[in-house]
């Protein structure tokens, strides 16, 4: 009988988590060896469902309002391995917000203790979780996310020395730092260059004001096809203020697009596979990054990124299957002396 994996989510808006779950359900090995179901849970609910599952994976927000639901989830499914994937919290997030550190640490330790395994989505995030003592090392795994990269790998790589169309792809939110890139582009880009902004969100009005009617900056709305959006760009900018991983960066590298990324949190992992590093979160620093993308030959960076994209899906599937096996394989009793 095929084991059932139930994923719990409290946000169904288009984005990285949704695409990762779709990929898990459809992947050649994960989808064949396990049946994946997604259940939507209301944030702040005081109860949790009793689930008919072999494995439960939480993609939920860790918060005090969700604490009763987490407690009920563990109690009602005491005999089922329960995993939490930390998509949200990072070191840069906590540093950039007015978070009461002691109270936040207490919340994380209390909630994480209810799970058999905590999955960090990047090495830097895992190191932060361990350093802060939110969970012991033996219960923390690192699995970098992956979506269906086939459409991105099918695109012709962009080996141009001087890209002319730059892209911002993602939710229009303060987190993504698009304001820094727009200010930099308006100040430093040439008359024949364009900046395509793909996405929607609460910051759209402010970002349009920052562009000040600059016709070189085009707000494209949500992209129905992420690969089509990537194909329209010669290079991609990712100026995130905090970011647990940054799936768009992996997709850009799979598509053979040069990218520039901030060095916060999990974004640093993309630098090893060819991304241009931007250490300062200022418009000047992003203006310099645009100049570097424009003036540098990127063939080596692009090819390194493509290699990473080709290997990412296999690694993702292997890591999840290993974790499933670890949590569901019965422990043999010790032999009698």
């Amino acid at each position: 009988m095929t084991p059932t994996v139930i994923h719990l989510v409290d946000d169904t808006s288009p984005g990285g988590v949704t695409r990762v779950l779709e990929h898990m359900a459809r992947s050649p090995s994960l989808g064949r060896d396990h049946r994946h179901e997604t259940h939507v849970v209301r944030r702040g609910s005081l109860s949790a469902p009793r689930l008919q599952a072999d494995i439960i994976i939480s993609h939920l927000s860790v918060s005090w309002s969700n604490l009763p639901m987490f407690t009920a989830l563990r109690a009602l499914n005491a005999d089922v391995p329960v995993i939490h994937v930390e998509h949200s919290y990072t070191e840069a997030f906590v540093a950039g917000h007015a978070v009461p550190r002691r109270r936040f640490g207490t919340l994380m330790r209390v909630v994480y203790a209810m799970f058999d395994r905590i999955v960090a989505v990047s090495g830097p995030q895992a190191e932060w979780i361990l350093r802060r003592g939110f969970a012991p090392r033996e219960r923390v795994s690192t699995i970098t996310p992956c979506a269906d990269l086939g459409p991105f790998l099918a695109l012709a790589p962009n080996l141009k020395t001087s890209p002319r169309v730059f892209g911002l792809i993602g939710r229009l939110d303060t987190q993504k730092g698009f304001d820094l890139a727009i200010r930099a582009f308006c100040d430093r880009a040439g008359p024949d260059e364009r900046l395509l902004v793909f996405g929607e969100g609460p910051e759209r009005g402010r970002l349009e004001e920052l562009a000040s009617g600059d016709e070189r900056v085009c707000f494209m709305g949500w992209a129905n096809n992420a690969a089509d959006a990537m194909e329209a760009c010669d290079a991609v900018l990712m100026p995130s203020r905090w970011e647990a991983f940054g799936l768009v960066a992996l997709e850009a590298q799979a598509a053979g697009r040069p990218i520039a990324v901030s060095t916060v949190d999990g974004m640093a992992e993309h630098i090893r596979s060819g991304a241009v590093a931007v250490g300062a979160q200022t418009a000047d620093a992003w203006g310099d990054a645009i100049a570097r993308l424009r003036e540098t030959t990127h063939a080596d960076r692009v090819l390194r990124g493509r290699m990473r994209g080709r290997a990412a899906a296999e690694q993702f599937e292997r890591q999840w299957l290993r974790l499933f096996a670890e949590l569901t394989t019965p422990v043999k009793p010790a032999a009698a002396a």
Side-chain angles (χ1 to χ4, degrees):
M1 185 175 180
T2 304
T4 298
V5 179
I6 292 182
H7 300 267
L8 302 179
V9 300
D10 53 13
D11 183 359
T12 58
S13 60
V17 175
T18 301
R19 299 214 310 281
V20 169
L21 295 185
E22 290 173 350
H23 177 61
M24 291 183 78
R26 298 171 182 172
S27 74
S29 57
L30 290 174
R32 179 191 64 230
D33 296 341
H34 298 80
R35 183 173 69 253
H36 295 264
E37 300 178 5
T38 299
H39 288 214
V40 180
V41 176
R42 180 174 57 84
R43 289 183 181 177
S45 175
L46 297 179
S47 62
R50 187 188 298 274
L51 302 168
Q52 297 298 316
D54 297 283
I55 299 171
I56 299 171
I57 304 179
S58 159
H59 305 272
L60 305 171
S61 306
V62 174
S63 65
W64 289 107
S65 63
N66 271 344
L67 183 57
M69 186 271 299
F70 284 125
T71 304
L73 175 69
R74 181 72 277 183
L76 292 171
N77 303 279
D79 298 328
V80 178
V82 184
I83 302 166
H84 176 71
V85 183
E86 187 51 70
H87 295 284
S88 303
Y89 290 126
T90 69
E91 184 172 20
F93 170 86
V94 174
H97 291 73
V99 176
R101 303 299 175 84
R102 183 173 297 179
R103 189 168 186 267
F104 176 76
T106 298
L107 170 67
M108 297 293 277
R109 283 186 283 272
V110 168
V111 172
Y112 280 7
M114 300 181 194
F115 292 93
D116 298 287
R117 194 66 59 90
I118 304 300
V119 172
V121 297
S122 66
Q125 186 193 50
E127 292 165 8
W128 170 70
I129 289 170
L130 294 171
R131 190 168 60 250
R132 293 295 304 274
F134 296 151
R137 185 173 296 276
E138 63 271 16
R139 288 199 296 109
V140 177
S141 299
T142 303
I143 303 179
T144 54
C146 190
D148 179 9
L149 298 179
F152 299 92
L153 290 165
L155 299 178
N158 180 12
L159 301 176
K160 296 177 183 177
T161 303
S162 184
R164 284 289 177 263
V165 181
F166 297 88
L168 293 170
I169 303 173
R171 180 171 167 78
L172 306 188
D173 185 272
T174 303
Q175 173 193 358
K176 300 301 183 181
F178 287 1
D179 54 312
L180 302 175
I182 289 173
R183 286 163 52 198
F185 182 87
C186 291
D187 290 344
R188 303 276 290 272
D192 62 336
E193 295 177 339
R194 287 192 300 152
L195 178 64
L196 305 183
V197 184
F198 290 94
E200 292 288 355
E203 287 283 290
R204 175 158 183 164
R206 190 172 79 88
L207 296 177
E208 288 177 332
E209 288 181 11
L210 280 177
S212 299
D214 190 324
E215 294 183 355
R216 298 172 301 170
V217 181
C218 305
F219 288 84
M220 311 298 290
W222 281 117
N224 292 326
N225 186 306
D228 287 347
M230 196 69 70
E231 186 174 24
C233 306
D234 296 332
V236 175
L237 311 175
M238 295 193 67
S240 299
R241 291 184 167 92
W242 68 91
E243 195 77 64
F245 176 67
L247 182 61
V248 169
L250 177 61
E251 292 171 336
Q253 290 187 318
R257 266 47 182 177
I259 61 172
V261 302
S262 62
T263 56
V264 300
D265 302 324
M267 298 293 283
E269 296 204 334
H270 306 295
I271 297 167
R272 292 198 295 267
S273 49
V276 172
V278 185
Q281 292 181 336
T282 65
D284 284 343
W286 279 92
D288 293 341
I290 290 171
R292 288 175 64 189
L293 287 170
R294 182 193 301 128
E295 298 163 5
T296 307
T297 301
H298 297 285
D300 178 64
R301 292 180 183 273
V302 166
L303 295 177
R304 284 161 57 195
R306 291 281 266 195
M307 289 178 62
R308 182 195 186 197
R310 291 191 183 98
E314 181 181 349
Q315 180 186 32
F316 175 78
E317 293 172 0
R318 184 173 63 249
Q319 289 173 327
W320 272 111
L321 289 172
R322 182 187 302 132
L323 179 55
F324 291 164
E326 288 176 6
L327 293 178
T328 57
T329 302
V331 178
K332 294 181 180 180

